[in-house]
DNA sequence: GTATCGTACAACCAAATGGTTGTAGATCAG
DNA sequence: CTGATCTACAACCATTTGGTTGTACGATAC
């Protein structure tokens, strides 16, 4: 299904975005407070353009939003993205619990 | 700190491993039941070696374990890996809730 | 013993990643 | 207007990733 493929791509982007320590740090910071792109860039030992790219990756993954304010671009954490990731992992956990439940049933029967 | 670097690398591997639809599908399957590597390989439109690599990525990320049984290698889901990922995301959620709490306080004061 | 099956691993390739520098457009300060 | 600041984006580079094929080796079946 095309729908599922799109969803897969979304999830790919989500976890891919979280698979980098700098990006996770950015998520942490912009979730706790407000930062401009250059404000973030000042925090890391890499070029402005590199940080800009990281923010772009987070934005495409819906983990972050940008809002123009004057000449600055304010980056904010998006709770939706995080929740989505949490819910996805919970699904796997649910599968595990189902299996654990079945095993418990088998043990109870045996 | 070296400890934190190692931890970062672990988390990188974790989310990196989850950032691929085929690997997520493998996790789903081996969490629900038992599969050999070739049993898994039969499910996907790619070579055995490709699936083998995916399993290796999941194994390095501690999302999966392998156990030799005769000439087969049995792949099983590791609950620890999933829990770790869940807890990590919960940390971010906690940061969000802290911030939401502060905002609520400010609104209550104002 | 021989053929087959399941696995491991190397070598290779195209595409994506994570970084760089450089250029250019808006916006603000003086 | 001029200059500084913030951002965007292109071009480039090294490394990693996700895939392939081919080879080799232990375990099993006959």
């Amino acid at each position: 299904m095309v729908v599922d493929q799109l969803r897969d791509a979304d999830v790919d982007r989500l976890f891919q975005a979280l698979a980098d320590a700098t990006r996770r740090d950015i998520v942490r910071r912009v979730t706790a407070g407000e930062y401009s792109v250059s404000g973030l860039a000042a925090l890391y030992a890499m070029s402005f353009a590199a940080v800009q790219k990281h923010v772009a990756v987070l934005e495409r993954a819906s983990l972050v939003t940008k809002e123009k304010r004057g000449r600055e671009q304010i980056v904010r954490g998006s709770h939706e993205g995080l929740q989505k990731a949490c819910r996805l992992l919970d699904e796997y956990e649910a599968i595990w619990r189902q299996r654990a439940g079945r095993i418990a049933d088998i043990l109870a029967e045996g």
Side-chain angles (χ1 to χ4, degrees), chain A:
Chain A
M1 268 176 275
V2 178
V3 175
D4 276 323
Q5 281 178 353
L6 287 177
R7 185 156 199 272
D8 272 350
D10 286 346
V11 181
D12 286 1
R13 266 183 248 118
L14 228 183
F15 286 122
Q16 179 66 40
L18 288 168
D20 180 280
T22 302
R23 284 196 293 263
R24 286 193 301 275
D25 195 63
I26 291 175
V27 169
R28 240 175 266 127
R29 290 184 186 269
V30 302
T31 296
E34 273 187 11
Y35 286 83
S36 68
V37 178
S38 56
L40 286 170
L43 300 169
Y44 307 102
M46 65 184 74
S47 68
F48 172 82
V51 174
Q52 202 178 8
K53 279 191 186 182
H54 282 309
V55 172
V57 170
L58 291 169
E59 194 181 13
R60 277 193 309 135
S62 303
L63 281 168
V64 137
T65 60
K66 283 194 301 187
E67 186 194 344
K68 198 163 187 173
R69 196 164 70 189
R71 68 184 153 186
E72 293 187 330
Q73 198 85 253
I74 304 299
V75 184
R76 290 197 185 83
S78 160
H79 196 215
E80 288 179 31
L82 273 182
Q83 277 191 321
K84 199 173 166 187
C86 282
R87 256 182 274 122
L88 280 163
L89 290 181
D90 281 342
E91 285 179 29
Y92 293 87
E93 284 274 284
I95 293 170
W96 204 91
R97 280 192 298 272
Q98 275 177 28
R99 183 194 171 207
R102 280 201 310 278
I103 291 172
D105 290 348
I106 291 164
L107 292 176
E109 287 174 9

